[in-house]
Every structure is written in structure tokens, then in C-alpha cells.
Amino acid sequence: MFSLVTFTPFQPTPGLAIWSLLIFLLFWYLMAKFAFKPIAQALAKRENYIQDAIDQAKKAREEMANMKSENEKLLAQAREERAKILQEAKDIKNQMITEAKDKAKEEASKIVSNAMNDIENQKKAAIAEVKNELGNIALSIAEKVIRKELKGNAEQESYVNTLVKEINLN
Amino acid sequence: MKYQLFVVFFFILLNGPAAFTQENHNQADTAAVHNAQGQSHEGHDHGTAAAHSEASHDNGHGHEGAHEEFDPASTAIHHISDANVYSILDWLRIPLPMILYTKEKGLETFMSSRFHIGGHEDGHTAYNGWVMHHGSVHRVLDPAFPASGEVKLGEHPFVKKTEEKNGKKTDVTYLSHEGKEYRLDARSTLDGGILGGGITSFYDFSLTKNVLSMILVSLFLLWAFRKAAKAYENNPGRAPKGLQGLLEPIFMFIRDEVAIPFIGKDKYMKFLPLLMSIFFFILGLNLFGQIPFLGSTNVTGNLTVTMIMAVIVFLVVNFNGKRDYWQHIFWMPDVPVFVKPLLAVVEIMSLFIKPLTLMLRLAGNISAGHIAILSFIGLIFIFGKSGASIGGGAIGTAMAVPLTLFMMAIELIVAFVQAFVFTILTASYIGAAIEEHHHADHAEGSHH
């Protein structure tokens, strides 16, 4: 039959009490000194190191981002500048072209007008010469005619001159 | 590392029941005893092939008698008790130093091999008036028994009787030697008879099986942690490897989930070594007790050990108690005056109940686990009628193996959980003791 046995593991015994106190205190002291404290410190050190590394990486990333945005800004500025310069150059070019065109036109018109004047003068001179020549020709013709019919030159000659003058060359 | 743990776990699962079965099977063979006087013989729980052969040499008392009734309760209790000898599977009995004190003879020291310990951890020899019975030392009170020198004892010399004293029934063991009976003193205990022990005429300070287990586990833990600590020193800032990698997550868990949340980030370093020591000491001993073939010592299931740890926790908590802590105990703020003395009584009681629960919870849980496993294995002998019925034994085995397997898996969890619970409660008690409140602010806040 089942008998109610004394539950010996739950009876405190003097030997075990003293030994376990001694062993546990010694265990506590040695583990604290040689294991737990060094490990805890090493872990804390490593954690700080990792945290630092993460912080630094974050900082570097932020710096990079900053630099990138700055670069972009600079690039945009440069682009703008370039566009501006190009525009200016274009304007100058256009201006120069128009100026040159105008000048050329002016010169051309000047040359044309000079040429016209020359032509007019030449024409006038030529007409005057032709008139003179014509007078002479007419005179000589008239002389020939008068010689045959008239005597006295002076009267006839003046008369011929008046006649020549009346010839209006257009 | 995970993989190695798994292998160890599997090994335990695979071998645990087998080991127990084998151990107890021998017992079934030898547990055949006549009791001539008709008195109930004490439960036999340990037997060996060696004891068996001796029994058969001794023409008479042995084997051919009726099978003794199997007493699962006393078997289980004996298996989880402390002993003055370290038995491994009943084939190896490591003698331990005895340190005994009596008023008459002073301090006596000798090795427990003097008792020539055999089956059931009973000594075959009396030495200087001391005998070994069920693993623990007893003193022969009768002055008629020779008080010095070795006395060879007969087969099965211990007889248990129930005596009535002041209306209280107590079990008394007698030594039967050469036709005479000598009364034995009880085991040396400190309980003064409250828990079934008694006031004895001697004190046993021996280095017992539990003490040896504690020393072995402590040395192992010291070695393991020293190795890990060296790894931190040698490779600072490197990822942990090997043993260091196994211990680090547990260490970090106790630090981050137990120490820091309960004690606070500024003060936890002061108490971290104690919390770690408690956790790993308990865990190591819990797991050590579960290893088959190694004696299955029940150290953390022993009330004496947990009592000492609870006392240490009690002292640490109360020596670090701040003004607020004591104020909360003796004169609770923010409550009506007539409630204050009532609360003081309750608080003073809880002051002692806290370590008491720590002590009982751990010892109870671990002992219960050992008892559950032993009970399941006991099924084999209950069904098998201590070896008389092979078919019954087979049925018992078929039941016991899966149940024990299951129980050992549960016990593995319990080993961790109980170590964790003891640690986290210690941390919470320390945290409550060193916390500094600001009651004035609270009160103001609540009035508005």
C-alpha cells in the first residue's frame, strides 16, 4: 500500500545548507569577477561601437545627400548660365547680321546712285558732244550748200547757229 | 550551436527512458524479500546486479521468495533525495567525504566507502556507530552497539517501524544485527520535526551528492563563461563564435528582458552578476539533473538549496531597500490613516512570503518533474508486478516510454522557465526595493 513517506528533499539539512551557501557565494563572486562583468563590459563596448558606426554611416549618408543636392543646384545654375550665354550669343549674332545687312544695303544703294549720276553725266556730256558734232555737221552741210548758192559766210554762219540751237535734242 | 543543442536534446529523449528502465529493472529482480517479522519493509528502489549476486550467495533470503510489492512513492522520494554517495546507474558508487559532528565525539571525517555501500544505497558495514541507509547516514543510538570500528552487517538489516509518540505517528528505523534490534537516529535535519524530520543527536555536514553536483556544475559554468569572456577580450568588436555565441543571446536576454526593465538602466550593472549567477546556477543544475546516466541529481528540487538562494535574495533586496521601499512597508503613503497599520501587517508578511514562494516554487517544480518521470517509469513495475508479469511489464513499458518522453520534453522547458522565473522575480523584488517614487507629484496630479 501507499504509505505517506517523509518527503526528504524538502527537509532542510545542515550540511547542504552550508555547502550551498558557500558554493553559491563563491560562484557569484567568481562569475561576477571573471565572467559576467568582463562580458557585460565587452558587450556594452561592442554595442557602443556598433551604434557609433551606424551613426557615422547615417551622418555620411546625410552628407552625401547634402552634397548631391548642392551638386544638382550647381548643375542647374550652370545650365541656366549656359542657356543665358547661348541666348546672348544668338542675339549678338542676329544683331550683327542685321547690321551687316543694313550696311550692305546702304552701300549698294550708294553705289547704284553714284553709278546713276555717272551715267547721267556721261549721258549729258555725250548729248552735248553729239549736239556739237551735229552743229558742225549741219554747218559743214550748210556751208557746202551755201557755197554753192551764197556768198558771204558770216551771215549764214550765225544763221546756222541759231538753227542749231533750235534743234532740241531730247 | 543550435544544431548541437538539438542533438543533445535528442540524445536525452532517446536515452532517458531506456536508462531509467534498465536501472529499475535490476531492482525488480532483487526486490524479493521476506519480512519474517511481518513488519512492512521499507520500499526497495535501488538494486544492482552486484547486490543481486550477493543476495543469491547468501543462502536464504533472496530471490525465490514472493515478489515484494512495489512502492512507487518511496522509490521516487529516494531517487530525488540527497545522498552521501554518488551512484551512477547502480554500477558505479562514488564515495563522498563524510563530515559528522556529535557532542560526544566532536567532528569525525571519513569517506563513505567505509560503509561498503551496495544495493538501495544501503551500507553493508557499520563504522564508528554510523550506518548508511538509503543513501543517508544514520547514527545508532543504542549504546549496546559498538561505537567504534567496523561491524559487518547482515543482509537487509534495516527494519522500519511506526511508533506513536504524543499521539503523533512517526517512522523509526531499527538496525537488525545478530538477532538484536538497535534504534537508529533520524536523518540529520534542521526542521525540528516540522517536515517529518527530527531533532537528532548529530549533525551531518558531509559533502553530499547534491554538493558534488553543485561543484561540478559551477566549475563547468565557470569554465564556459571564462572561455566566452576570453573570446570577448581576444576579439573585441567581432561577431561571437562557438560557446560565446551560445551564451551571448541568453546573457543578452537576461540583461535586456530581466535586469534593465525591472531595475533600470542606471542601476542594473550592480545587480546583473547576481541575476546572471542565479539564472545560470539554477539552469545548469536543472539541466544537469535531467541528464541520464549521471545520477539525475535533484539539486534545485531540494528545499535546502532553494532556501539558501531565497535567503540570499531576501538579504540583497532588503539591504538595498531605499527609503521609499520601507515607507511603503511600514507607513503606506496615499491611503487613509486607519488603513496604514493594516497594510503594514500585510506588507511585512509579504516581505517574508516573497522569498518563501521563490524557495517553494523552484523546489516544488523541479522535484515534481523528477517525480513525474519516476512515476511514469514506475508504471512498468506496477503493471509488471515487480517482474512477476512479463506481459504486464510490456504494457507498462509501452505506456511509460511515450509518457516519459513527453515528460522529459516538458522538463526541459521547465528547466528554463523556472530559472527564468526565479531570476525575473528576484529582479522585480530588487527593482521595487531600489525604486524612488515621487508621491507628492502623484498626489497633486490625482487631485487636480
Side-chain angles (χ1 to χ4, degrees):
Chain A
M1 262 310 288
F2 250 57
S3 64
L4 198 73
V5 278
T6 49
F7 198 61
T8 44
F10 271 31
Q11 291 173 344
T13 49
L16 194 56
I18 288 167
W19 282 107
S20 49
L21 181 70
L22 214 76
I23 291 168
F24 185 75
L25 290 180
L26 204 68
F27 179 77
W28 179 12
Y29 172 75
L30 291 175
M31 286 295 257
K33 191 169 181 193
F34 295 112
F36 295 143
K37 274 181 185 163
I39 290 174
Q41 277 160 6
L43 280 175
K45 218 160 128 188
R46 200 179 65 195
E47 270 157 26
N48 287 339
Y49 173 75
I50 291 168
Q51 194 56 52
D52 281 356
I54 289 169
D55 288 350
Q56 263 172 13
K58 207 174 162 190
K59 219 167 123 188
R61 209 162 52 216
E62 267 166 21
E63 260 168 28
M64 282 256 286
N66 277 348
M67 258 160 74
K68 209 175 156 189
S69 69
E70 222 161 81
N71 275 353
E72 262 165 20
K73 226 156 94 190
L74 271 174
L75 210 72
Q77 242 172 15
R79 263 198 210 111
E80 224 170 85
E81 203 112 314
R82 189 189 67 178
K84 219 161 118 191
I85 290 166
L86 273 174
Q87 190 59 47
E88 264 170 26
K90 227 177 186 173
D91 289 351
I92 290 167
K93 181 191 86 177
N94 285 343
Q95 204 185 329
M96 270 167 78
I97 288 169
T98 45
E99 262 173 26
K101 265 184 185 166
D102 289 353
K103 220 172 175 180
K105 248 184 204 165
E106 216 174 281
E107 205 82 351
S109 63
K110 224 176 182 175
I111 291 164
V112 167
S113 70
N114 278 352
M116 287 286 219
N117 284 347
D118 277 359
I119 290 166
E120 197 67 26
N121 290 341
Q122 294 285 331
K123 200 171 107 186
K124 275 179 185 164
I127 286 168
E129 212 166 303
V130 167
K131 269 182 188 170
N132 281 338
E133 205 62 30
L134 265 177
N136 286 337
I137 292 166
L139 208 61
S140 64
I141 293 165
E143 199 181 46
K144 273 166 190 174
V145 168
I146 287 165
R147 238 173 238 161
K148 260 180 174 178
E149 291 187 7
L150 301 155
K151 291 238 185 127
N153 268 354
E155 236 174 276
Q156 285 175 10
E157 216 170 297
S158 68
Y159 178 65
V160 169
N161 274 348
T162 52
L163 282 177
V164 168
K165 271 185 189 162
E166 271 167 24
I167 297 166
N168 212 353
L169 260 168
N170 299 328
Chain B
M1 264 304 159
K2 263 181 196 162
Y3 164 75
Q4 285 176 11
L5 258 184
F6 178 75
V7 169
V8 169
F9 178 64
F10 195 70
F11 176 81
I12 290 167
L13 285 187
L14 216 64
N15 289 285
F20 278 102
T21 311
Q22 191 200 340
E23 189 183 352
N24 281 283
H25 214 78
N26 292 330
Q27 175 227 341
D29 293 340
T30 46
V33 175
H34 286 292
N35 197 326
Q37 277 132 332
Q39 285 150 341
S40 76
H41 204 285
E42 279 192 54
H44 283 262
D45 39 336
H46 251 301
T48 52
H52 176 184
S53 60
E54 276 175 41
S56 3
H57 282 305
D58 236 32
N59 50 337
H61 292 263
H63 221 49
E64 56 273 22
H67 287 278
E68 197 211 11
E69 205 175 334
F70 176 69
D71 184 357
S74 57
T75 303
I77 298 299
H78 179 198
H79 267 98
I80 63 170
S81 298
D82 199 3
N84 289 106
V85 58
Y86 200 119
S87 304
I88 293 176
L89 283 188
D90 272 9
W91 60 265
L92 180 64
R93 294 198 193 278
I94 302 162
L96 298 170
M98 309 292 303
I99 305 162
L100 301 161
Y101 177 79
T102 48
K103 261 183 197 161
E104 300 83 33
K105 294 192 276 181
L107 215 58
E108 277 179 86
T109 51
F110 54 94
M111 293 301 282
S112 66
S113 50
R114 290 269 190 189
F115 293 121
H116 300 104
I117 301 153
H120 323 302
E121 295 187 332
D122 281 348
H124 290 301
T125 310
Y127 179 74
N128 282 1
W130 303 101
V131 288
M132 170 79 94
H133 178 46
H134 274 193
S136 44
V137 72
H138 293 258
R139 191 181 180 201
V140 187
L141 280 175
D142 207 322
F145 194 81
S148 63
E150 291 189 5
V151 177
K152 183 127 179 61
L153 301 172
E155 200 62 36
H156 307 296
F158 300 105
V159 181
K160 195 164 93 179
K161 287 180 182 173
T162 309
E163 285 183 356
E164 252 192 76
K165 198 177 168 188
N166 305 333
K168 216 171 137 189
K169 278 186 183 173
T170 43
D171 287 335
V172 179
T173 311
Y174 280 85
L175 175 72
S176 161
H177 180 63
E178 288 170 352
K180 274 188 186 172
E181 283 192 351
Y182 303 93
R183 197 187 149 108
L184 293 182
D185 207 351
R187 275 172 83 241
S188 166
T189 53
L190 288 175
D191 65 346
I194 302 165
L195 293 160
I199 300 152
T200 51
S201 64
F202 72 104
Y203 292 100
D204 178 6
F205 299 110
S206 305
L207 196 152
T208 57
K209 178 184 178 182
N210 281 356
V211 178
L212 183 66
S213 303
M214 272 191 277
I215 292 171
L216 288 174
V217 170
S218 300
L219 287 177
F220 172 76
L221 287 171
L222 269 169
W223 168 80
F225 273 92
R226 191 67 208 129
K227 208 180 162 201
K230 271 198 183 136
Y232 284 105
E233 281 161 23
N234 295 338
N235 307 311
R238 289 274 186 85
K241 277 198 299 190
L243 195 62
Q244 182 194 10
L246 173 73
L247 296 174
E248 190 183 302
I250 309 174
F251 190 93
M252 299 266 273
F253 176 75
I254 298 298
R255 192 194 64 177
D256 296 341
E257 306 298 325
V258 177
I260 293 175
F262 283 98
I263 299 172
K265 240 185 155 43
D266 323 316
K267 292 173 186 162
Y268 83 94
M269 259 317 278
K270 188 181 169 191
F271 301 101
L272 191 69
L274 174 66
L275 295 176
M276 291 288 175
S277 300
I278 286 174
F279 182 78
F280 285 105
F281 192 72
I282 294 174
L283 180 65
L285 286 166
N286 284 353
L287 292 175
F288 182 73
Q290 282 201 265
I291 304 171
F293 306 119
L294 277 179
S296 303
T297 36
N298 180 35
V299 185
T300 38
N302 196 299
L303 203 72
T304 316
V305 177
T306 60
M307 179 183 75
I308 292 298
M309 297 188 74
V311 165
I312 289 170
V313 169
F314 176 81
L315 294 176
V316 168
V317 166
N318 290 296
F319 275 122
N320 286 290
K322 292 276 183 295
R323 202 184 64 94
D324 283 318
Y325 171 70
W326 295 112
Q327 193 190 1
H328 267 248
I329 289 169
F330 294 113
W331 207 244
M332 180 73 87
D334 301 339
V335 292
V337 179
F338 71 91
V339 185
K340 286 178 194 254
L342 283 172
L343 279 175
V345 172
V346 174
E347 287 287 339
I348 290 165
M349 273 165 68
S350 85
L351 202 68
F352 296 99
I353 290 170
K354 278 172 182 173
L356 206 72
T357 57
L358 276 185
M359 164 179 105
L360 288 169
R361 182 184 302 107
L362 179 59
N365 270 288
I366 303 305
S367 281
H370 281 255
I371 290 169
I373 289 172
L374 289 164
S375 306
F376 287 143
I377 291 159
L379 287 176
I380 300 166
F381 305 100
I382 293 167
F383 279 81
K385 298 194 176 73
S386 295
S389 160
I390 292 165
I395 294 166
T397 309
M399 283 167 73
V401 169
L403 284 170
T404 311
L405 208 76
F406 171 71
M407 206 54 224
M408 290 198 89
I410 295 272
E411 278 309 295
L412 210 59
I413 301 168
V414 171
F416 280 91
V417 168
Q418 288 306 318
F420 173 66
V421 166
F422 200 109
T423 315
I424 203 165
L425 286 173
T426 304
S428 83
Y429 298 156
I430 293 172
I434 64 165
E435 198 180 6
E436 277 164 290
H437 310 264
H438 301 284
H439 281 287
D441 302 350
H442 278 298
E444 249 176 65
S446 59
H447 283 306
H448 286 297

